[in-house]
């Protein structure tokens, strides 16, 4: 028997529904609080068109804007976008610097729209290592949107899951050394509270575009029981319709958390 989503639509048929039909379906059931996305495939998108990789990153920014709009439309509480990893520094210098300025420029340009949509920007990742003017530019937008109460857009920028865990281990070790915490008393809650995401619920759904079957050092602790949705669509081609489709698919799943 074909797998069915809770609304009764066979999963294969979801691919034939339009954006507005999918939005209606997604609204029939509770939406996940937190969706995280590994936005992958910008380079391939550009290469397939004979364009420089940076052209793919520019298109990727447009897809990110569309995802934020769709996220506000459907009422997510948190949308986390993986924008730049601690490993992405190993790319050619010109690609890295273009990516940095593209991201800063995009965030600043989006400020009026973020305000209009009541979106609050948060950044997770290592602040050190990011060029100062870029950090300041992003911080200004974080500051300007801090009292917004709608969607929280979490940008993972210079983010690495292992790096985040290392920082947490160091912070806990300092507390142990100071005699504040006994090693045997360290709990999962203590570890969670030492991460960048301390006040953010774990993602319910993790989306990865471009078909790669890996997590690439993203939210390693937080995705322990996150549902996965991987699509071959390259990030610049990902739109609101794809997000709603992932949500409807998610709504048809049973999460078990190790139980029966
Ligand atoms: C994702 O696209 C954007 C970033 C990692 C910053 P890629 O640049 O990784 O594109 P591919 O994977 O090479 O196609
Ligand atoms: C993951 O994509 C990082 C971001 C989307 C920022 P990558 O393209 O860097 O991941 P790998 O190299 O394919 O694992
Ligand atoms: Mg990639």
């Amino acid at each position: 028997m074909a797998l069915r989503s809770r609304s009764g639509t066979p999963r294969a048929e979801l691919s034939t529904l339009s954006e507005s039909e999918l939005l209606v379906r997604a609204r029939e059931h509770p939406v996940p609080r937190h969706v995280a996305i590994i936005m992958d495939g910008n380079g391939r998108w550009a290469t397939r068109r004979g364009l420089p990789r940076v052209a793919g990153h520019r298109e990727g920014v447009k897809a990110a804007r569309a995802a934020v709009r769709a996220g506000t439309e459907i009422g997510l509480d948190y949308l986390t976008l993986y924008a730049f990893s601690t490993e992405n520094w190993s790319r050619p210098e010109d690609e890295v610097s273009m990516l940095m300025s593209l991201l800063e420029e995009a965030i600043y340009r989006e400020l009026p729209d973020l305000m209009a949509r009541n979106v609050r920007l948060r950044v997770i990742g290592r602040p050190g290592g990011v060029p100062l003017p870029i950090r300041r530019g992003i911080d200004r937008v974080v500051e300007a949107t801090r009292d917004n109460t709608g969607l929280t857009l979490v940008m993972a920028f210079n983010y690495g899951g292992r790096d985040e865990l290392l920082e947490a281990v160091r912070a806990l070790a300092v507390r142990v050394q100071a005699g504040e915490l006994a090693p045997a008393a360290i709990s999962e809650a203590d570890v969670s509270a030492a991460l960048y995401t301390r006040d953010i619920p774990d993602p319910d759904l993790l989306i990865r575009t471009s078909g790669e079957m890996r997590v690439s050092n993203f939210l390693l602790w937080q995705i322990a029981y996150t549902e996965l949705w991987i699509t071959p669509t390259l990030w610049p081609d990902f739109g609101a319709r794809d997000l709603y489709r992932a949500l409807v698919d998610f709504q048809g799943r049973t999460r078990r958390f190790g139980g029966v």
Side-chain angles (χ1 to χ4, degrees):
M1 204 180 97
L3 274 175
R4 281 170 193 278
S5 71
R6 240 173 251 152
S7 50
T9 314
R11 279 191 185 162
E13 276 176 30
L14 293 179
S15 62
T16 64
L17 299 181
S18 69
E19 179 182 324
S20 51
E21 285 167 330
L22 285 162
L23 180 58
V24 170
R25 299 285 161 113
R27 285 197 168 130
E28 285 169 0
H29 299 283
V31 291
R33 282 196 78 193
H34 183 178
V35 174
I37 308 182
I38 301 175
M39 311 185 286
D40 196 22
N42 294 351
R44 275 163 282 179
W45 184 93
T47 305
R48 280 180 199 174
R49 285 165 176 75
L51 299 169
R53 288 176 61 86
V54 67
H57 296 314
R58 260 192 219 110
E59 286 301 307
V61 168
K62 293 185 193 162
R65 181 191 303 140
V68 173
R69 289 189 176 174
T72 54
E73 192 70 34
I74 192 72
L76 301 179
D77 290 339
Y78 296 89
L79 175 66
T80 298
L81 300 180
Y82 201 4
F84 193 88
S85 78
T86 46
E87 286 68 38
N88 288 150
W89 293 104
S90 65
R91 295 187 178 199
E93 214 179 295
D94 60 336
E95 181 173 347
V96 169
S97 64
M98 298 259 225
L99 258 172
M100 289 282 153
S101 42
L102 202 60
L103 285 165
E104 186 216 357
E105 195 188 296
I107 288 173
Y108 207 68
R109 193 165 8 94
E110 290 310 308
L111 181 56
D113 199 52
L114 296 179
M115 295 308 287
R117 289 173 190 276
N118 197 19
V119 174
R120 178 169 63 141
L121 179 70
R122 285 269 307 265
V123 179
I124 58 170
R126 185 176 278 276
V130 177
L132 203 60
I134 291 175
R135 240 167 74 191
R136 287 211 182 112
I138 294 173
D139 285 348
R140 273 207 300 274
V141 179
V142 170
E143 195 52 42
T145 61
R146 72 176 317 135
D147 294 327
N148 288 348
T149 54
L151 174 84
T152 298
L153 171 62
V154 184
M155 237 231 332
F157 187 60
N158 195 19
Y159 174 88
R162 286 190 169 182
D163 187 60
E164 178 184 39
L165 281 164
L166 258 181
E167 275 299 304
V169 168
R170 290 189 186 119
L172 291 170
V174 166
R175 288 178 58 199
V176 168
Q177 199 173 35
E180 281 171 33
L181 193 62
I186 298 173
S187 65
E188 289 194 7
D190 290 322
V191 176
S192 294
L195 302 175
Y196 299 125
T197 51
R198 53 185 63 87
D199 51 352
I200 298 175
D202 289 342
D204 301 294
L205 175 65
L206 172 64
I207 295 173
R208 180 165 188 149
T209 57
S210 92
E212 306 297 350
M213 301 288 180
R214 53 180 176 255
V215 295
S216 303
N217 204 13
F218 193 38
L219 302 173
L220 297 180
W221 172 273
Q222 297 89 335
I223 61 171
Y225 273 104
T226 298
E227 295 290 325
L228 308 178
W229 197 78
I230 294 169
T231 172
T233 301
L234 302 175
W235 177 248
D237 294 325
F238 188 94
R241 192 177 163 275
D242 301 285
L243 180 66
Y244 300 149
R245 188 174 154 197
L247 295 179
V248 174
D249 187 84
F250 169 88
Q251 289 168 333
R253 300 184 189 181
T254 304
R255 299 180 78 182
R256 296 168 64 165
F257 300 97
V260 285

